[in-house]
Each structure stands twice: as structure tokens, then as C-alpha cells.
Amino acid sequence: MRHEQAKVLVLDDVSAIVEELLTLMSLHDIAGVGAANLAEAVDMLERHPAVRVIACDLRLDRESGLDIVSRIRQHPVLRLRAFEFVFITGDQMRDDLVADTSRYTFLTKPVQPQALIDTMRQMLANGVGA
């Protein structure tokens, strides 16, 4: 699948996980691109305007995955686009975190591959950013 058609951005600081998820998505005809950190994610979003869904690990190396939301909101072009977010975490969700981010989807590790694919398909079917 060609990267220009990417509909999903996978953001994780572990490159093997990014590659595994992109391969899984490709097997299910979901085009995607990957990034290892927030700066790279913003760059990929700038380069791939068809991306509608961001699948992001909550804990990146020295960054919080949740910060992708504020980076997009502060960006002069990206803030004009609509995205859906699915955050993946190994942590039990604290009540204060869930309250502040109730409009986002969270999946807890270990994530079942089919659950992630189903979540992405549903988000893409909702016509986000169209």
C-alpha cells in the first residue's frame, strides 16, 4: 500500500511495535505510516494529509503520547484537520486522566490485534476529517 494513501499514523517509541502494527494494518487493507516521537509524528501528519486516525502509545521515551493533541491544536495547519485518537497504554487508567480525556479511545495492553483493527475501522468509517 502506498504511503500517500495513509489513513492512520502509528506513534510508538519502539520501532518494532510500529513495524508490527503497520504490517498488521496492511494485512487488513488499512494504509498507515509510523513515527517514533512527537516531532516525527507532526512531520508525518504534515506530509500525509489523508491521515485521519492517530494510534499512539501513551508513554513515549521522554514524552507523553497525549501531548500529540496539544501539538496538533497549536499547529497552524494541522489544527484545521479533524482526527480521531486511540491511545494504547499498559497502565490502569487513573480517574483524573480519564475525566480529562473522555473524548478519546483508550486500549489497555496487551491489546488484541483484532480489537485494534476494529477500532481503527470504526473510526475511519465515521468519516473523520472528511
Side-chain angles (χ1 to χ4, degrees), residues 26-38:
S26 178
L27 293 172
H28 290 273
D29 296 321
I30 299 173
V33 292
N37 57 54
L38 295 174

Side-chain angles (χ1 to χ4, degrees), residues 37-100:
N37 57 54
L38 295 174
E40 195 174 305
V42 169
D43 179 57
M44 294 305 269
L45 291 172
E46 290 171 338
R47 293 174 35 200
H48 299 279
V51 169
R52 303 288 186 254
V53 174
I54 299 171
C56 181
D57 191 12
L58 199 58
R59 288 184 187 225
L60 302 173
D61 184 32
R62 290 187 167 94
E63 304 170 302
S64 168
L66 289 172
D67 289 341
I68 190 65
V69 176
S70 60
R71 295 256 183 131
I72 289 170
R73 286 182 183 155
Q74 295 168 5
H75 192 281
V77 175
L78 297 179
R79 70 177 181 206
L80 303 174
R81 290 172 46 194
F83 297 98
E84 290 255 6
F85 298 89
V86 56
F87 291 100
I88 303 167
T89 180
D91 298 333
Q92 293 291 63
M93 298 306 297
R94 299 185 333 239
D95 288 340
D96 58 330
L97 181 61
V98 173
D100 290 341

Side-chain angles (χ1 to χ4, degrees), residues 6 8 17 33 48 50 70 78 89 97 102 105 113 119 121 126:
V8 176
I17 291 174
V33 292
H48 299 279
S70 60
L78 297 179
T89 180
L97 181 61
S102 60
T105 300
T119 298
R121 282 188 193 274
N126 288 340

Side-chain angles (χ1 to χ4, degrees), residues 3-33:
H3 290 294
E4 304 89 57
Q5 301 168 343
K7 301 280 190 216
V8 176
L9 169 68
V10 176
L11 174 54
D12 197 303
D13 59 328
V14 179
S15 61
I17 291 174
V18 172
E19 290 305 316
E20 184 177 327
L21 291 177
L22 291 174
T23 299
L24 174 67
M25 290 165 38
S26 178
L27 293 172
H28 290 273
D29 296 321
I30 299 173
V33 292

